[in-house]
Every structure is written in C-alpha cells, then in structure tokens.
Amino acid sequence: MKCRGRRLKSCCCYFDLRAGCCFLALFEMFTAVLGFMVGEGSRLLLIGRSAYLVHFIGSIFLLMSSFLVCDPVLCGYSLIPLHLLQQIELLVIIYLGTNVFHLIFCTVFLIDYALSCHFCLFESIPFLASLVSSIYFWMVAFAYWRRLQWEHDPENDD
C-alpha cells in the first residue's frame, strides 16, 4: 500500500513528526496547567477546566507514544509485537480525541471567560493563541498517526 496523498512530513518545517509530537505534548501539558488556574467558579468554567484536565491526560498519552516508538532501522519491526504497535497507535488516537474535546469546550470556555471579565485582553490572548496552536498540533499528531499506520502495515511495498 503506497501513501499517495499529500501529507505532513515534519513538524515546524524541520523536526521529525515523532520529535515534534514529543515537543507539542510537553507544550500542551504546560498550557493545560495554565488552563487549570484560570477562572472563578461558574459551571461553564468548571467544564473548561475539566476539558483542560482531559487534554492534559491525552497529552501524556501522546508523549508516551512518542517515547515508545522504536526506530525500525535500530531494532527492526520483527522484534516489536504487533499488539504493542497497535497500542502505540491507540495512544495517539486518544490524544486526537481529547484535543477535539479540548478545542470544542475550551473555545466556549474562552468566550464565556472573556465576556465575564469584560474582555480581559492580557488573560484571553494567550489562551486564544494556545487554541490556535492546538489546531496545528492536532494536524501534526494526525500525520504522525497516519505515518505509524503506514509504517506498521504489513502490505507496505516500500
């Protein structure tokens, strides 16, 4: 099976997808910790905080998947059991799902927070920037997941 479609091959135009996923997982964990600290006590802000918590857990799974993948040249895929490779792909899928959850609920959280504090510019802009970067990070993680699927496919004709 040849991958003929256009695909993202590197993160930030330079780094390998695996290294980029490691970096972005650390960055997403840092922004999730910042998201825990924002807000007062309304129900919507509690939902936003829970979305940051879920996303923090998903980022840990992405970080684990980037550490668990072994280079095929160094160790060969014959040494890695197939069920382990599928579990590594599952960790990336969990991150993708938690990132979508994060994007939906934290956008609502950010809008409510900006309206409740009368558009606190200095507090809202970093979270808006982290949401926009999360979209790019989702695309990088998706490309990483597709590459893992392609590399682990036994019908790969490379």
Side-chain angles (χ1 to χ4, degrees):
M1 175 178 123
K2 271 262 199 229
C3 186
R4 289 180 169 72
R6 294 177 55 110
R7 58 190 166 113
L8 191 62
K9 295 181 182 179
S10 62
C11 176
C12 303
C13 299
Y14 180 71
F15 299 106
D16 179 48
L17 287 174
R18 180 177 156 214
C21 282
C22 181
F23 164 74
L24 71 92
L26 291 173
F27 181 78
E28 293 276 49
M29 287 169 33
F30 174 72
T31 58
V33 168
L34 289 179
F36 294 145
M37 295 184 230
V38 174
E40 287 79 33
S42 74
R43 183 174 300 158
L44 194 58
L45 296 177
L46 182 62
I47 292 172
R49 283 185 179 168
S50 64
Y52 277 113
L53 176 66
V54 168
H55 187 60
F56 182 79
I57 294 169
S59 298
I60 290 173
F61 285 155
L62 182 66
L63 186 65
M64 287 178 2
S65 75
S66 65
F67 283 139
L68 289 177
V69 173
C70 186
D71 189 14
V73 176
L74 296 177
C75 66
Y77 282 121
S78 61
L79 300 177
I80 302 174
L82 182 63
H83 66 86
L84 181 62
L85 295 175
Q86 292 169 343
Q87 289 175 354
I88 292 171
E89 291 175 13
L90 181 66
L91 294 175
V92 179
I93 290 172
I94 290 171
Y95 169 78
L96 293 172
T98 59
N99 198 1
V100 169
F101 182 78
H102 167 255
L103 287 171
I104 292 170
F105 286 102
C106 289
T107 302
V108 174
F109 163 73
L110 182 66
I111 291 170
D112 182 62
Y113 182 70
L115 292 174
S116 68
C117 75
H118 305 294
F119 293 95
C120 302
L121 186 64
F122 294 118
E123 294 176 9
S124 298
I125 287 181
F127 291 102
L128 181 64
S130 73
L131 284 176
V132 170
S133 65
S134 286
I135 295 170
Y136 175 70
F137 292 161
W138 188 90
M139 292 189 313
V140 170
F142 183 76
Y144 178 60
W145 174 66
R146 293 283 301 193
R147 190 185 84 184
L148 285 174
Q149 280 187 323
W150 184 72
E151 287 176 350
H152 302 154
D153 186 12
E155 296 177 4
N156 186 6
D157 54 358
D158 252 280

